[in-house]
Amino acid sequence: MKILVPVMLAFLNLAFAAEAQETFTAYGSTVMYTRPDPSQWNLVHDGIDAKSNAFLLMFEHNPIEDAEGRKIRPVMALICETVPEAIDVIKYSIGKRVQVPFDVKEMLTPQRGNFTHSNSVGYEGEYKRGAVVHKVLVGHLRHKVAGVQVICDSTDGVYDKVEADMRAFLFSITFKE
């Protein structure tokens, strides 16, 4: 029995290693997330974005060929910035939605199992870029003075291949207390 317990613990650590949370600290909050599969999703930005002065974490999927033969590179981005304490998650979300217009198909909430963090709201939606339909998952989270916007974007033609990864990434984001 003394040997069995350490062996089981070692097995569980290996079995759940892919689910280990990574972290970064920005604006007084430690943001935790589960990194998407590095064999499919490439980290293309990790740090302060020079244009916006916000912390940007961005992953780009390896090219996926759609039915028209186009090489599509879906993206998942997490943008962390300071937000005045008086602005709650709903006001934060409304402000961000004005900047990134798309047609909302469904609301995402912690109560529906879309988020781990309770102070969150989001949307499943779509927009057109030219003749190409894009599907998006957008989330807004608040913790102390940190606001986090998550944008997961893919063309409609390959969305089914990345939707599970995008939903898992959105669900994994939370804050260390």
Side-chain angles (χ1 to χ4, degrees):
M1 187 65 148
K2 287 182 181 182
I3 294 174
L4 183 59
V5 172
V7 169
M8 287 179 63
L9 289 174
F11 172 76
L12 289 173
N13 282 338
L14 287 174
F16 294 108
E19 294 297 318
Q21 292 235 297
E22 295 193 22
T23 64
F24 66 87
T25 300
Y27 311 109
S29 290
T30 300
V31 181
M32 300 176 9
Y33 65 96
T34 301
R35 183 181 176 144
D37 180 359
S39 70
Q40 296 296 318
W41 291 92
N42 304 299
L43 180 63
V44 295
H45 199 284
D46 183 8
I48 298 296
D49 178 61
K51 292 182 213 168
S52 67
N53 209 27
F55 187 93
L56 173 63
L57 180 72
M58 185 185 300
F59 298 95
E60 183 179 76
H61 198 280
N62 293 340
I64 304 171
E65 190 169 324
D66 69 6
E68 287 78 33
R70 295 177 292 211
K71 303 282 188 197
I72 307 299
R73 294 177 181 266
V75 297
M76 294 190 289
L78 183 155
I79 305 154
C80 185
E81 61 191 345
T82 59
V83 178
E85 288 187 47
I87 296 179
D88 65 14
V89 72
I90 301 302
K91 289 178 187 170
Y92 177 63
S93 182
I94 290 168
K96 292 301 173 185
R97 280 285 327 281
V98 171
Q99 297 173 11
V100 184
F102 57 90
D103 295 326
V104 174
K105 301 300 179 186
E106 184 178 330
M107 288 287 298
L108 306 176
T109 67
Q111 294 80 6
R112 292 183 178 174
N114 303 113
F115 296 96
T116 301
H117 185 64
S118 61
N119 197 14
S120 308
V121 65
Y123 315 90
E124 180 177 348
E126 56 185 50
Y127 68 94
K128 273 187 149 179
R129 183 178 294 154
V132 180
V133 174
H134 283 250
K135 291 198 171 195
V136 293
L137 295 175
V138 175
H140 300 113
L141 301 84
R142 288 279 286 125
H143 183 259
K144 299 180 184 175
V145 298
V148 171
Q149 180 175 208
V150 182
I151 302 172
C152 302
D153 189 331
S154 173
T155 62
D156 185 41
V158 300
Y159 182 71
D160 63 323
K161 293 174 175 61
V162 296
E163 179 183 11
D165 288 348
M166 290 177 166
R167 288 186 182 275
F169 181 67
L170 186 66
F171 180 78
S172 76
I173 300 166
T174 191
F175 298 89
K176 189 174 187 176
E177 292 299 325

